[in-house]
Amino acid sequence: MTDQGSGGWRSLCIQAHRGLLACFIIITLARSVGLVLPQLVAASAALLLLATALPLVKGRTFAIAGMLTLACAALLATGAPLSGITAGLVDALTFAAYLPVLQILRVIIGELPAMARAREAFTRLPPQGRDTGTLVLATGLGGILTTGAHALLAPLLPKDAPEEVRRQMALISLRGICFSAFWSPFAVSVAFGTQYLPGSTSVSHTFVGLGFAALIFLLAWRMERGGSLRPGVRAVLPILPHCLIAAGATVLLVATTKIGNLDAVVVATLPLALIALLWQAPSATTGVARTVWQGLARGADEVLLITLALSLGRLIEGSPWLIGLLAPLIGGLPVPLVLTAIFVAMIGGGIIGLHPMITAAVLIGVLGQAAGALEPLVMMQAIQSAWGFAVLVSPSGITLIVATMMFAVPQPRLLYSRNILFVGLSSLALIIGLSLMNAALRLS
């Protein structure tokens, strides 16, 4: 194929990919009123999206994708049902709408007058004030919007901000958002925990998780030299009303409907952002539409990785022999070692590209069969906390993927960073704290 022919094919894929993503946003909005695609149609649509993404994917992404594909093939060869692939493709459609909506929010919010005022004040702060302000905002917004908080934080930096500044802010944003996995009812980890432990309550997860999140927040704060939190918070006051409206709308939608958390972010925040744009900055509408359309195809790598990771998770769920193989290795170990194994498995799974949901499903099955001295609440808190840390180091994790897109920083620069030290120190502190909590529960 000639260079001209290759360029024409790539251009066609870009346009098709953009069009499909726009369609999936509409499908997600329609799903909120009960219009759901049949599973076979949804899986076929996901395959079509994947086909248009492949020519746009960067070379380094194919290495991770290759490992995930080999793992899927191995599980299929050992008896995992093919329906796991179909289920994974259907799951991927939710993310196919979620990621571009976050890109749209990032562009729209950056044009609002309130964001311009906050950006001006934020850029005047010394680095310490900017860092602590980011940590507070990421922690607060992350508890409601989880990964979507990146889209509200990234526009605080000017478009020409140096990469090192964008990287620092992205790393701190990741730390703050990871705390949502400890306790937030809007986090997938907590929903996962209450689903797998029917006897537990979201209240217990919330209060125990909040306590441990507060402890690790202090460590994250000290890593940024422990400066005053007030200057950074004052700088972002102009955008707090917008943030609170977005968070409140998401809370209301989840509380009053059966819509999923990720869908809720799409359905609640996208119309609000469009209204804010037309009301506060109508002259920027044409430029925003052009920027959004041009940027829709930039998430091709993420589409590929998330689709493969979700498919692998579904195949593992259909492979009970894995759990039977691993359970004897855990049974009989002292509680601190069991907790260490949980953190190592969750974080290690993230490093090799597994979605935390995959590792968590295996761990719950293994720990359930091992029947050790670990209290169920402690077990789930360990899994949820380690889930939060895993997303900081997972190349296929949605939290890090969105940070890469929102802050325009190469993924390796977020993977290989001080966050590795943060994860190590935080895990050690939580293993000690959870061991003491387990001992107290056993005595009560």
Side-chain angles (χ1 to χ4, degrees):
M1 184 181 289
T2 65
D3 289 343
Q4 186 175 0
S6 176
W9 171 248
R10 179 179 172 82
S11 177
L12 179 62
C13 286
I14 289 173
Q15 297 301 324
H17 196 69
R18 288 170 176 165
L20 284 169
L21 289 173
C23 288
F24 293 150
I25 293 172
I26 296 171
I27 288 170
T28 301
L29 294 172
R31 192 159 56 229
S32 67
V33 293
L35 301 176
V36 181
L37 289 178
Q39 189 177 58
L40 186 59
V41 175
S44 300
L47 276 177
L48 184 58
L49 181 69
L50 206 58
T52 60
L54 284 175
L56 313 177
V57 171
K58 301 179 186 67
R60 63 175 179 267
T61 303
F62 280 114
I64 302 171
M67 290 189 295
L68 293 173
T69 302
L70 287 175
C72 289
L75 288 172
L76 287 171
T78 53
L82 189 60
S83 59
I85 297 292
T86 303
L89 291 170
V90 173
D91 292 342
L93 278 189
T94 296
F95 291 97
Y98 181 69
L99 289 176
V101 163
L102 292 187
Q103 292 183 49
I104 294 170
L105 292 177
R106 166 74 168 87
V107 176
I108 291 177
I109 291 167
E111 296 293 333
L112 299 181
M115 180 57 76
R117 294 195 299 272
R119 187 185 303 119
E120 183 180 357
F122 202 69
T123 52
R124 287 200 304 264
L125 290 172
Q128 188 181 59
R130 183 183 63 228
D131 292 348
T132 53
T134 300
L135 181 61
V136 171
L137 268 181
T139 303
L141 292 174
I144 303 295
L145 300 176
T146 59
T147 302
H150 285 311
L152 298 180
L153 290 167
L156 283 168
L157 291 175
K159 295 177 181 178
D160 59 350
E163 183 179 299
E164 197 53 46
V165 173
R166 286 184 277 113
R167 176 177 182 260
Q168 172 71 354
M169 192 166 173
L171 292 175
I172 296 172
S173 180
L174 281 165
R175 286 176 221 153
I177 290 172
C178 88
F179 297 137
S180 65
F182 288 47
W183 67 273
S184 174
F186 298 98
V188 177
S189 56
V190 176
F192 190 86
T194 53
Q195 174 187 345
Y196 274 84
L197 288 178
S200 67
T201 64
S202 58
V203 173
S204 62
H205 283 285
T206 296
F207 281 101
V208 172
L210 266 176
F212 283 109
L215 173 68
I216 304 305
F217 176 90
L218 292 176
L219 174 60
W221 176 55
R222 290 302 306 171
M223 283 187 69
E224 303 312 320
R225 302 180 298 282
S228 172
L229 302 175
R230 283 178 292 182
V233 174
R234 281 201 303 268
V236 298
L237 283 177
I239 65 163
L240 281 184
H242 296 76
C243 296
L244 292 174
I245 291 171
T250 305
V251 171
L252 183 63
L253 200 60
V254 172
T256 58
T257 69
K258 296 181 179 180
I259 192 170
N261 293 339
L262 294 183
D263 281 1
V265 173
V266 173
V267 175
T269 61
L270 182 57
L272 287 172
L274 291 172
I275 291 170
L277 177 68
L278 293 173
W279 181 23
Q280 300 179 28
S283 61
T285 304
T286 302
V288 165
R290 187 182 302 112
T291 302
V292 165
W293 181 252
Q294 290 173 348
L296 276 182
R298 291 176 186 164
D301 297 72
E302 291 74 22
V303 167
L304 175 61
L305 291 179
I306 287 173
T307 302
L308 290 173
L310 291 172
S311 298
L312 179 58
R314 290 293 191 172
L315 290 174
I316 287 177
E317 288 178 3
S319 304
W321 62 269
L322 268 180
I323 293 172
L325 185 68
L326 295 172
L329 302 176
I330 300 294
L333 288 177
V335 166
L337 288 182
V338 175
L339 290 170
T340 301
I342 290 173
F343 278 85
V344 169
M346 291 292 294
I347 296 168
I351 291 172
I352 64 173
L354 293 181
H355 191 283
M357 190 182 295
I358 302 171
T359 318
V362 174
L363 278 174
I364 288 172
V366 169
L367 293 167
Q369 285 195 19
L374 196 63
E375 291 291 319
L377 181 60
V378 174
M379 177 188 78
M380 276 317 307
Q381 188 57 56
I383 289 175
Q384 289 168 195
S385 302
W387 186 314
F389 297 147
V391 300
L392 299 185
V393 295
S394 175
S396 63
I398 185 70
T399 306
L400 192 135
I401 282 171
V402 173
T404 299
M405 296 168 62
M406 295 295 105
F407 292 93
V409 179
Q411 192 181 75
R413 298 216 67 207
L414 298 183
L415 282 171
Y416 310 115
S417 66
R418 290 179 68 210
N419 277 357
I420 295 175
L421 175 64
F422 170 72
V423 167
L425 293 175
S426 300
S427 298
L428 179 60
L430 284 170
I431 288 169
I432 295 171
L434 288 166
S435 296
L436 294 174
M437 178 182 169
N438 192 80
L441 289 173
R442 300 283 289 183
L443 290 173
S444 62

